[in-house]
Amino acid sequence: MTLLRVVSLSFLLLLPVSLAGQQRPAVTQALDLERRGDYAGAVEAYKSLLRVRPGDATALLGLERSLLPLNRSGEMVGVLQAALAAAPTNSAVYGIALRSWAAAGRLDSVRSLALRWSRISPNDETPYREWGAAELLRQNRAGARGAYELGRAQLRRPDALAAELAQLAVTEGNYAEALQEWLLATRRFPGYRGSAVATLGQAPEDVQPALLRALSKESDFLSRRLEAELRARWDDPDGAVRVLTAALPPDRIQSIAALQTLLEQLRLLRTRDGKLAQAHVLEALADRLPGAQGARLRLDAAQAYSAAEDKENARRMLGGLADDRTTPASISSGAAATLITVLIGEGKFAEAQKRLNDARAALPSDDYDDLRRSLAAGWMRAGELARADSAIAPDSSVEGLALAGRIRLFRGDIAGAISRFKEAGPYTKDREEATRRTALLALLQPLDRDSFPELGRALLLLEQGDTAQAAAGLEQVATGLGPQHGGAEFTLLAGRLLRQTGNPKDAERLFRAADAPEAPGTAPAAELALADLLVSSQRPGEAVAVLEHLILTYPQSALVPQARRQLDEARGAVPKT
Amino acid sequence: MKRRDFLRHSGAGLVALHAGRLGGWTGRSGAPWLLVPMDEVQTDHLKAYGVAFRSLKRGVRSEWFLNYRSGSFLLPGDDITARDAALAGVSVEPLDEDQVAQIRGEVQGGNMDAVPLEKPPKVAVYAPPNAPPWDDAVTMALNYAGIDFDKIWDSEVLGQKLRSYDWLHLHHEDFTGQYSKFFLNYAGAPWLVDMVERNRAMATSQGFTSVPAEKRAVAIAIAGFVERGGFLFAMCTATETLDLALAADGVDIAASYADGSPMDPRASSKMKWDLALAFHNAQLELSPTIPVYSDIDGHQVNSPDRRQPLGSFTLFNFSAKIDPVATMLVQNHRQVIPDFYGLTTSFTRKTLKPSVTVLAEEPGAPWVKYIHGEHGQGTWTFFGGHDPEDPQHQIGDLPTDLSLHPHSPGYRLILNNVLFPAAKKKELKT
């Protein structure tokens, strides 16, 4: 902490006291001058006051604050000597004097003053704490350590000044010592646990196992809490939950507090393991809380399980909640929605459909529509296109029309798909989906037919994740089309899919086939894809030739800047991205 | 022809070239000349230098129109040049003979000049063999523009190979042999360990007892290259340490970790500044832990107490017909350029020799940024700072990608230096 911050803090602490002292107009006047930024005036006012009452702590603090911005802190020394003589037992005066002596570089005086103060307050840590702080202000960590250790010895308490020594050890990078000190400090004052986790959490990765081993040797619950929270910070959420739940005491309040603190740490994690750990903690909390509060946590646990793709546990949590008549309505409908999402994710569309029909009245309409679209998309991916169509039929929202377009497309109804994609327009809440829809529309528009079941089947295979079969289907589709009527575009798409499946040889063949002069909209994209493939196949010379051809043949193409970038990379003119 | 008239003409030409390429590049501009404009209309200023350089390599006649549209190039309108420009994304404007004659008239009448470019300079970059290509602004500029160069290091310099080059660039080397004075602050860092081992091995292989002694011999060889007519361009710490090494004749200016003996505490007063190229009367930094060499650098970036903030520097205008060399070196589409740090960022005015030509300065500041001078038959140019597009470069930073800075005025200054040795020799007044 800097001297300025110490002084500012002192100012804030004393402000109410000073304001309350309306009977002391001299102090009020000095404070006013200080507030207005007239530090020179404030110094004179405080000094006048101190000439009358040399040991007035409020005036001393005010003088200290006012001298600092004037760079005249050295003037404190004389004033404080008078103050100490006038008020030899006033702790506040000693604190100010220690800071001033330290700032003036009078280290011997700091030491003797601290010892004098400790004799006045023999059971108090404050003299040593202030002494250490004064040393730290001068970046003298060894001096600070000496002060704290002397304090501990003098006070004859092994946990005295433990928090200070822990923080010092952290700044010195000695995390093993810091841990031992934090354990002492937190056992005496449990409120230190947060600081302990925050500082120990910064330990480098190679030190962490030793700290955890040291912690595991401690048998008390406080150590388990510390270990759990550190594990959560160090990306071991599973270990965190395991350690804490095994050590939870019978005391319900204490257990809940420990679980809630760990949950706060786990919420910072975005990984699957982090979500799963959150779910376990939420379930443990739900088991300890009654009524609506417990139901709410059970729902949260289900959602966390679902987010962690643990469908079974999500369903276990939700099963009871959704059907339980005692569950509050808002939680029941949330549980139903989550359960339907889980069922759709598991491919149990019929059961999801039934649950959705049952919950319709309880669900907010937006939630119901979202679920209905999710269900229709599920049916669609399963190849149940008629059921998907009927599930989405009444939906005239942008998302509904977009989904209906895809269903039509997979059924081979090209005209119907184009019509719905156009109705949906290029905008929707989901930017990725909007881009995909626009790309699909661009793919379909060169086609000169309204119905194309083979294309629908190939694209459905792609939707279902069967990339290799989809590529074969698209190549087959393309052979029956002229390059300018979609043939080149579908060949290019098939090539891209084959490249994704790790078949560069056939991908290259298709990229070259898609590079048809009759399809000038597709050819630059095919050449760019081919060049990228050649670069990744360690054939930069051939890639350069292809890229040069692209730039020179299609100078108006929007892909030219990208081609130039690749050309630079292939030639080693710029760093690889 | 007035400038605005020419712009109208050339704009029409550009459209014509453009229309001729609709549906594909035809391979010919149809005009005998191509103007590479270097003002704000240029789409890639840095690659334009590469196009000009490669046309020289093919042995065709080119010209550099100093101060005409920010230093444009006139290239022949042959197929290869037009194709090269199209591939590089460099905008060109086709000109017929009448239009060229009009430009020549305009050049003749103003503070402009047409400098014939004769042959491509043979370029060498002085850098350790393991230096990554993205760690040096000049190497990046040359790579990006597509200008050929060889990498050389101490053995080549001491082995007389410099004689086969026209132009030499110095990497941010420490010619005092103190490893950029990072030895103590970065002790144990793998890159530093590698640097120390490599330099010690090189010094031993060349028969020197210490790295500082070997680096001074390299500095002397480089000064000899300039004296014999070579063109030297240095940036960052190579500028300052080259001169310090040259002037330290019989003076120990290296810390004990570098040569086993401490620096001479009276080194500043013993330096022989007549041996240096650009600087004199500098006070050397005596502390081995402060990565600062002397008060030559105005910004002192690695000294927290002395570090100066970055401002911007302004290029001087020179008379193109009287001072063509200085004019070439400052050709740019921007006159005021944001400053950037390096181990040596700038050069204090008080340490500049009177013969030095200042090319760019920070007005009102006690330092300048970009200087030039002659030494024997050759010339040297020093440019302070490390990377014009990474103003606060730190060790380990991501490399600068020049495709994101194709109009960089700072990098243009570097490339001016590469092309200027190609200019046909005239009676140079600078």
Side-chain angles (χ1 to χ4, degrees), chain B residues 47-57 62 73 75 117 419:
Chain B
K47 284 198 170 172
Y49 288 88
V51 172
F53 183 88
R54 290 188 291 275
S55 78
L56 283 175
K57 265 186 77 180
S62 307
F73 298 105
L75 307 179
L117 297 174
L419 266 197

Side-chain angles (χ1 to χ4, degrees), chain A residues 484-507:
Chain A
Q484 70 277 33
H485 292 120
E489 199 63 40
F490 288 116
T491 305
L492 174 59
L493 179 57
R496 284 182 168 141
L497 295 175
L498 285 175
R499 190 174 173 200
Q500 275 176 25
T501 59
N503 183 354
K505 194 175 161 196
D506 282 331

Side-chain angles (χ1 to χ4, degrees), chain B residues 110-254:
Chain B
N111 179 21
M112 294 176 252
D113 200 6
V115 177
L117 297 174
E118 281 189 319
K119 74 176 186 79
K122 197 148 183 336
V123 176
V125 171
Y126 172 91
N130 63 331
W134 321 119
D135 196 29
D136 170 49
V138 175
T139 310
M140 282 192 286
L142 295 172
N143 276 328
Y144 182 70
I147 294 174
D148 302 332
F149 65 96
D150 293 336
K151 270 173 78 170
I152 61 170
W153 205 38
D154 293 355
S155 55
E156 288 84 2
V157 173
L158 294 171
Q160 308 299 314
K161 200 178 174 192
L162 277 182
R163 290 176 188 276
S164 54
Y165 296 102
D166 303 307
W167 192 85
L168 173 66
H169 162 64
L170 304 182
H171 193 73
H172 49 91
E173 185 71 28
D174 175 1
F175 289 101
T176 69
Q178 298 178 93
Y179 318 107
S180 301
K181 294 188 80 174
F182 289 150
F183 192 86
L184 299 176
N185 294 345
Y186 287 89
W191 58 267
L192 180 65
V193 171
D194 183 56
M195 183 199 282
V196 171
E197 282 175 5
R198 197 173 287 274
N199 277 281
R200 283 181 178 162
M202 176 57 76
T204 305
S205 73
Q206 296 295 321
F208 291 91
T209 54
S210 71
V211 174
E214 190 254 359
K215 289 293 177 191
R216 181 160 193 274
V218 171
I220 291 169
I222 289 169
F225 160 77
V226 181
E227 192 158 11
R228 288 190 304 274
F231 298 90
L232 172 67
F233 177 69
M235 284 185 73
C236 197
T237 195
T239 58
E240 181 180 4
T241 62
L242 181 76
D243 259 18
L244 292 178
L246 288 172
D249 182 17
V251 188
D252 187 348
I253 59 168

Side-chain angles (χ1 to χ4, degrees), chain A residues 304-320:
Chain A
Y305 276 126
S306 178
E309 295 168 19
D310 184 346
K311 309 292 180 201
E312 194 179 325
N313 272 320
R315 217 165 348 95
R316 179 172 59 78
M317 289 281 97
L318 292 163

